[in-house]
Amino acid sequence: MAPHAHPTDPSDMPLGPRQRALLAVLQAADAELSGQELHERLKQASQRHGLATVYRNLRLLQRSGLVRCRKLTNGESVYAPLERDDHHLTCVSCGHSEPLPICPVATGGLGLTKVLLQGFKPLFHTFEIHGLCRSCQQSEPLAHG
Amino acid sequence: MAPHAHPTDPSDMPLGPRQRALLAVLQAADAELSGQELHERLKQASQRHGLATVYRNLRLLQRSGLVRCRKLTNGESVYAPLERDDHHLTCVSCGHSEPLPICPVATGGLGLTKVLLQGFKPLFHTFEIHGLCRSCQQSEPLAHG
DNA sequence: CCGTATGCTGAGAATGGTTCTCGTTTTAGC
DNA sequence: GCTAAAACGAGAACCATTCTCAGCATACGG
Ligand SMILES: [Mn+2]
Ligand SMILES: [Mn+2]
Ligand SMILES: [Zn+2]
Ligand SMILES: [Zn+2]
């Protein structure tokens, strides 16, 4: 690890080579990737990492404010660079998910004051709308089972 | 609670007795409950349900627009009545979570137009801010057990 | 009353993404 | 080089959730 750097500043956080590799794959991807997908892509990129290392470093990158994470309804976690800002509509019936080109934080309408945060340092947010997709509305009006 | 006269949905789905019991426990609770907690509370309420039934009916209640669900960082899902609207600040380092008295949808600033939804029928939303709590900011720059 | 179709239930097994264990390997500092 | 500390990774463990499937309840026509 780099021998200098100032603590408490995430942007100065010295990254190890594996963390840089991880981040590079995330930034090259055109969508959020799961831990397993990342593991797979690193294999192909001749950067074999153990699965434990992938997850370990994803956790560290998240604490460093470089990567964000979101849990899908199926339990998988998907990761993306912090600066990428996307949200989704997800169907509670079939699980289908599509992008939602709106962000409640970017529009600035929220009163996210320092008072509200009370010392908490925000890194990223998740905003997802859950409901019924068009086709699930049309199918059985909720077959009681 | 009156047994009927619920003026909400167009789809007047009759609930089975077990789904009503589930909903009652959720409404009586003062916080979101996990599937396992619900199972436990139903035992104590002399309404023994199998765990499979708890999860099955939670899924149905969600599709019916009566219950909402959110995934915690530890993988658990927690449930609440749809009308309850709360959000949280969650620390990516220690997992500590506290309420955030703000809702981007309630404030109405979002342009959630029909055009954007494209036939999707929204039921509920999740909005969570992730970052570093005060104590994790103070502790080691990136200490990990 | 049957007989049959249909759907709900739940104990236990299976699932599967993530985390943990712990011996090995690499790095940092001298 | 040498030693201590940190990072690594193969495989085991974890555990919330889902699946399986036989048993039970209900509906309804005959
Ligand atoms: Mn956003
Ligand atoms: Mn809200
Ligand atoms: Zn759907
Ligand atoms: Zn914390």
Side-chain angles (χ1 to χ4, degrees), chain B residues 4-93:
Chain B
H4 36 241
H6 229 233
T8 45
D9 286 9
S11 60
D12 207 3
M13 247 283 289
L15 299 181
R18 307 184 106 91
Q19 290 175 11
R20 278 197 303 276
L22 219 50
L23 196 51
V25 171
L26 278 178
Q27 286 167 338
D30 56 348
E32 299 160 307
L33 296 178
S34 72
Q36 316 260 357
E37 285 168 335
L38 264 151
H39 179 234
E40 198 54 42
R41 296 206 183 189
L42 284 165
K43 251 185 229 164
Q44 296 169 1
S46 70
Q47 286 278 0
R48 196 182 39 186
H49 293 202
L51 198 48
T53 298
V54 169
Y55 282 112
R56 188 162 37 225
N57 284 325
L58 280 172
R59 243 179 290 141
L60 295 174
L61 287 169
Q62 218 179 319
R63 283 163 174 65
S64 304
L66 292 168
V67 161
R68 67 174 174 76
C69 173
R70 165 173 87 95
K71 283 208 177 305
L72 304 182
T73 45
N74 66 11
E76 276 189 339
S77 296
V78 289
Y79 302 85
L82 197 78
E83 57 274 14
R84 206 177 299 162
D85 180 24
D86 29 53
H87 306 288
H88 304 81
L89 297 172
T90 302
C91 179
V92 297
S93 186

Side-chain angles (χ1 to χ4, degrees), chain A residues 69-129:
Chain A
C69 172
R70 164 172 87 97
K71 282 206 175 309
L72 304 182
T73 46
N74 66 11
E76 274 188 344
S77 296
V78 289
Y79 302 84
L82 199 77
E83 56 274 16
R84 206 176 299 161
D85 181 24
D86 28 53
H87 306 288
H88 303 81
L89 297 172
T90 302
C91 179
V92 295
S93 187
C94 67
H96 175 253
S97 185
E98 57 185 296
L100 173 64
I102 269 187
C103 174
V105 175
T107 58
L110 279 184
L112 265 182
T113 64
K114 246 183 157 173
V115 173
L116 271 176
L117 293 174
Q118 284 288 68
F120 185 95
K121 176 179 177 179
L123 293 175
F124 64 94
H125 59 272
T126 59
F127 174 64
E128 307 293 319
I129 296 183

Side-chain angles (χ1 to χ4, degrees), chain A residues 1 4 29 34 41 44 103 117-119:
Chain A
M1 287 248 181
H4 49 295
S34 71
R41 297 206 182 187
Q44 296 170 3
C103 174
L117 293 174
Q118 284 288 68

Side-chain angles (χ1 to χ4, degrees), chain A residues 127, chain B residues 84-87 102-106 125-127:
Chain A
F127 174 64
Chain B
R84 206 177 299 162
D85 180 24
D86 29 53
H87 306 288
I102 268 189
C103 173
V105 175
H125 59 272
T126 58
F127 174 64

Side-chain angles (χ1 to χ4, degrees), chain A:
Chain A
M1 287 248 181
H4 49 295
H6 214 283
T8 69
D9 189 344
S11 54
D12 277 355
M13 197 50 196
L15 298 181
R18 308 185 105 94
Q19 290 175 11
R20 278 198 303 275
L22 219 51
L23 197 52
V25 172
L26 279 177
Q27 284 167 341
D30 56 348
E32 298 160 307
L33 296 178
S34 71
Q36 318 257 359
E37 285 168 334
L38 264 148
H39 180 233
E40 198 54 41
R41 297 206 182 187
L42 284 165
K43 252 184 230 165
Q44 296 170 3
S46 69
Q47 285 277 1
R48 194 182 43 182
H49 293 204
L51 198 47
T53 299
V54 170
Y55 283 112
R56 190 164 32 226
N57 283 326
L58 280 172
R59 242 178 293 142
L60 294 176
L61 286 169
Q62 218 178 320
R63 284 164 173 64
S64 303
L66 293 167
V67 161
R68 67 173 173 77
C69 172
R70 164 172 87 97
K71 282 206 175 309
L72 304 182
T73 46
N74 66 11
E76 274 188 344
S77 296
V78 289
Y79 302 84
L82 199 77
E83 56 274 16
R84 206 176 299 161
D85 181 24
D86 28 53
H87 306 288
H88 303 81
L89 297 172
T90 302
C91 179
V92 295
S93 187
C94 67
H96 175 253
S97 185
E98 57 185 296
L100 173 64
I102 269 187
C103 174
V105 175
T107 58
L110 279 184
L112 265 182
T113 64
K114 246 183 157 173
V115 173
L116 271 176
L117 293 174
Q118 284 288 68
F120 185 95
K121 176 179 177 179
L123 293 175
F124 64 94
H125 59 272
T126 59
F127 174 64
E128 307 293 319
I129 296 183
H130 302 259
L132 292 168
C133 74
R134 185 177 300 210
S135 75
C136 283
Q137 288 172 62
Q138 290 167 351
S139 57
E140 276 312 290
L142 232 234
H144 203 311

